Amino acid sequence: DNIMDVGQNKTETSTRGILEATETFFKRFPLSSGTQAGQSERNLAAFVNCRSPTHNGAETVLALDSENSLVLSIASEKSELSDLRAGASDSTELLTFVTSEDAFRKARRIDAALYEGQCSTPQSSYVIFRDDTLFRDANLTGNQSLASNIIMAQVGTRGIENLQQNITATFRIFDSAKVPLKDPLYECVYWNTSKGARGGWDNAGCSVLDVIENVSITCRCNHLTSFSILVTHRDPLTSTPLTIVTYVCCAASLLGLTATILTILLVKKLRMSVHYRLMLGLSATLWLLLLVFMVGIKKRYYLENDYACGTVAILIHYLLLATFAWTSAIATFVYFKLVKVFDGAYQNLPRRVVTCALTVPLAIVVLTAAISRLGAYKDTSAKESKYCFVHGLVGTALAIYLPMAMSLLYNMLVLALIARSFKRRINIAGRHLLAGARASSTWSRELVKLVVLLSLLLGVTWFVSVPMIIWNS
């Protein structure tokens, strides 16, 4: 019990030895036939039994959480189990573990020692651990954690595997594992000592039998060892089907952008056009954004390397803002070309809008990094987040949503001014041409086409995603 209070850093190097010693001690705990022994502490409880099970050859263990300690009790009959639960009205039931008759039969058959103490029947032992101090698995991802207590169950002095009658265990879910879970995935797992350097959680031979959401999980396994419940916190917006759709669409966009970039670079007429140069800048920035997003957004690729993940977060932040800046640059250029045709400022406009498209996003990123001391790009709760991105509600709102919203509002304003200018020209054309109605109808259709195309080009369709972003936040 004191060892579990020491903490992970001081116990992780000796975890395997501690667990092996605990297992061996209780396997060979000296008991006389018909007796049992137990010990309850704050962090763990143990129970050893040398009584033959009478109820269908099975044995039921009830684990409780009293006010100051864990409690383990064994019931060989249903009536005993009812009495235990009736007397535990002021305690929390943590788990019910049923060792099958087949486990005791196998123990009698394979354990030739029968038994080093005075016990003449397969001796059963159970140890319940409050937390995973001795069961830390380095292979678990940031969105995985244990959702229940851990129970070590043994019958006889040797390992019991490949049972014909499965053991069953019903675990109560930790309160901390209940919320704020989105689409949780529960797994029944056991501690595999041969997995990795210190062991790890594995689900071979175990399966989920029943789930009472946010209350309990019932498992069945065909062997005896240490068991618990592993929960994976899944976000519905990042579940497997949508992840596949995301990557397929991003890959298709990359192909389309690659074709656009090559076309502009290879066709001289397009390459010399200012408009297509701006399109080239937008396409190249969006191409880089999608590539970095696909390759680097998920933190698991970098394990615990905060610098690599922070670099990816900065790149995505800059490229995302630069993409919107390029759309605003194109909006400004199109406005001057179509509305302010004879304005003298048009000559130097391309250079100015390109400079703004490159420097304004950079200034926002530098300012964000300086004010937060790079904290906006480092997740202070690294085990909580799965992504390399800007962190914190305030940082995300000011450094991403606000610049995006300003860019989109500016683009909509420019689009409205262009539409008003063309509408005015339609009215003039309708008054001066002989076939005024027909001309006006033709120009109206052209105006609709222009508005639709410019809406796509200037990113106005991003406004459709605003409700989804707010809902997910």
Side-chain angles (χ1 to χ4, degrees):
D1 187 68
N2 292 332
I3 291 174
M4 295 181 68
D5 279 329
V6 170
Q8 179 191 3
N9 294 334
K10 296 184 180 179
T11 60
E12 62 180 4
T13 55
S14 55
T15 294
R16 185 186 290 273
I18 295 172
L19 289 177
E20 287 178 353
T22 303
E23 185 177 352
T24 302
F25 175 78
F26 287 107
K27 274 182 178 179
R28 301 185 181 279
F29 192 86
L31 280 181
S32 300
S33 294
T35 62
Q36 55 189 16
Q39 180 70 32
S40 299
E41 299 291 346
R42 185 169 61 87
N43 292 318
L44 61 85
F47 208 106
V48 187
N49 189 36
C50 188
R51 296 189 305 169
S52 297
T54 57
H55 175 63
N56 296 329
E59 187 170 75
T60 303
V61 181
L62 184 67
L64 303 171
D65 193 356
S66 64
E67 185 175 352
N68 296 312
S69 64
L70 297 174
V71 178
L72 266 177
S73 301
I74 290 181
S76 297
E77 299 182 6
K78 285 185 177 180
S79 58
E80 292 181 5
L81 183 61
S82 299
D83 292 341
L84 286 175
R85 284 182 169 149
S89 56
D90 296 331
S91 301
T92 302
E93 184 175 328
L94 298 178
L95 63 90
T96 304
F97 190 93
V98 181
T99 306
S100 66
E101 179 185 3
D102 191 32
F104 286 92
R105 283 201 303 265
K106 275 210 165 186
R108 291 189 186 94
R109 188 166 61 250
I110 67 175
D111 202 336
L114 273 186
Y115 285 103
E116 296 185 1
Q118 299 178 3
C119 188
S120 59
T121 187
Q123 185 169 296
S124 57
S125 61
Y126 307 90
V127 183
I128 181 174
F129 301 85
R130 185 178 292 279
D131 56 45
D132 63 346
T133 300
L134 300 177
F135 298 87
R136 297 297 173 94
D137 187 350
N139 294 317
L140 295 186
T141 59
N143 62 328
Q144 291 181 305
S145 62
L146 290 188
S148 70
N149 298 98
I150 302 164
I151 184 168
M152 177 188 290
Q154 305 167 99
V155 176
T157 61
R158 302 189 184 184
I160 303 295
E161 299 177 347
N162 300 319
L163 293 170
Q164 298 299 315
Q165 294 176 324
N166 291 326
I167 60 94
T168 60
T170 300
F171 296 87
R172 176 169 288 276
I173 302 300
F174 285 151
D175 289 339
S176 58
K178 293 178 182 178
V179 290
L181 286 185
K182 295 179 180 179
D183 191 21
L185 171 65
Y186 294 108
E187 291 182 88
C188 298
V189 292
Y190 76 98
W191 187 252
N192 186 348
T193 56
S194 61
K195 187 176 180 181
R198 301 187 183 96
W201 293 108
D202 199 343
N203 61 3
C206 293
S207 60
V208 175
L209 186 61
D210 186 37
V211 177
I212 301 178
E213 188 174 357
N214 273 345
V215 177
S216 64
I217 308 292
T218 300
C219 302
R220 59 184 174 191
C221 296
N222 64 2
H223 53 271
L224 289 176
T225 178
S226 299
F227 303 96
S228 188
I229 299 294
L230 181 68
V231 62
T232 301
H233 307 236
R234 301 186 302 178
D235 191 324
L237 295 178
T238 58
S239 57
T240 302
L242 287 178
T243 299
I244 294 174
V245 171
T246 298
Y247 279 98
V248 168
C249 291
C250 285
S253 298
L254 281 173
L255 290 175
L257 289 168
T258 301
T260 301
I261 293 170
L262 291 177
T263 302
I264 296 174
L265 290 176
L266 295 177
V267 179
K268 185 177 180 180
K269 183 179 179 181
L270 300 180
R271 191 170 65 245
M272 300 303 294
S273 168
V274 175
H275 174 70
Y276 281 101
R277 286 182 184 178
L278 295 176
M279 286 292 297
L280 179 63
L282 172 61
S283 300
T285 304
L286 187 54
W287 188 91
L288 288 172
L289 173 62
L290 292 175
L291 182 65
V292 176
F293 173 84
M294 292 179 66
V295 174
I297 186 67
K298 289 194 175 180
K299 181 178 288 188
R300 60 186 172 85
Y301 296 139
Y302 308 99
L303 299 178
E304 300 300 323
N305 192 331
D306 289 336
Y307 293 103
C309 193
T311 301
V312 170
I314 291 173
L315 277 174
I316 292 179
H317 187 197
Y318 172 76
L319 292 171
L320 180 61
L321 296 182
T323 299
F324 282 89
W326 277 110
T327 63
S328 295
I330 293 174
T332 304
F333 177 78
V334 171
Y335 173 76
F336 273 86
K337 186 174 182 180
L338 297 180
V339 180
K340 301 289 185 178
V341 180
F342 302 106
D343 196 313
Y346 177 77
Q347 301 300 323
N348 297 321
L349 182 67
R351 186 181 303 170
R352 293 175 183 174
V353 295
V354 169
T355 302
C356 289
L358 295 174
T359 58
V360 171
L362 180 62
I364 295 174
V365 171
V366 171
L367 193 62
T368 303
I371 293 176
S372 66
R373 297 181 181 179
L374 294 178
Y377 303 107
K378 292 181 181 178
D379 189 4
T380 54
S381 56
K383 299 299 182 185
E384 302 280 334
S385 176
K386 301 176 287 184
Y387 305 110
C388 299
F389 197 54
V390 180
H391 297 288
L393 181 60
V394 176
T396 305
L398 297 179
I400 296 180
Y401 295 157
L402 182 60
M404 286 171 54
M406 292 177 65
S407 174
L408 290 174
L409 288 172
Y410 174 79
N411 292 353
M412 287 190 67
L413 176 62
V414 172
L415 183 61
L417 292 175
I418 293 174
R420 188 184 70 170
S421 175
F422 265 72
K423 180 64 176 175
R424 189 177 298 166
R425 295 180 189 180
I426 292 172
N427 294 334
I428 295 173
R431 286 197 302 267
H432 289 83
L433 293 177
L434 292 178
R438 185 181 303 172
S440 179
S441 176
T442 303
W443 279 86
S444 296
R445 286 196 298 270
E446 294 300 320
L447 176 60
V448 172
K449 291 180 183 178
L450 177 67
V451 170
V452 171
L453 291 174
L454 285 179
S455 297
L456 297 174
L457 180 62
L458 303 183
V460 176
T461 51
W462 271 78
F463 273 109
V464 177
S465 67
V466 171
M468 185 182 69
I469 293 173
I470 295 174
W471 172 80
N472 190 43
S473 298

